[in-house]
Amino acid sequence: MRDMAPMLIKVHGGRFTISTKHGSVSIGSSLTLQKVFFVDGLHCHLISVSHLTCDKNCILQISDRLCVVHDRITRMLIGAGEQLNGL
């Protein structure tokens, strides 16, 4: 985890908070997310969709309850996640 300039983040419910650290998070054996924002007291990680799609050369499919990540070239499934506790 590294320090960064404070960044204002809009979270669920329209509230705002501040992130002052960023780092990497591994999700399973095949997906490591870079530039993940950490917010004290928040029980999830915040990612930049634009950074994710550029860094991993991937496509995201996002619905009201699900996010699926596919490789842009092969269309192979890289990862998937479901909504949990409103996030």
Side-chain angles (χ1 to χ4, degrees), residues 37-52:
F37 301 133
F38 296 90
V39 176
D40 287 334
L42 194 62
H43 302 288
C44 62
H45 301 299
L46 304 173
I47 62 168
S48 166
V49 172
S50 63
H51 284 135
L52 174 61

Side-chain angles (χ1 to χ4, degrees), residues 3-11 16-22 35-39 46-48 51:
D3 290 331
M4 65 180 208
M7 179 178 290
L8 191 62
I9 308 275
K10 186 175 182 179
V11 293
F16 286 90
T17 189
I18 294 176
S19 175
T20 59
K21 298 188 182 299
H22 69 91
K35 301 175 185 167
V36 177
F37 301 133
F38 296 90
V39 176
L46 304 173
I47 62 168
S48 166
H51 284 135

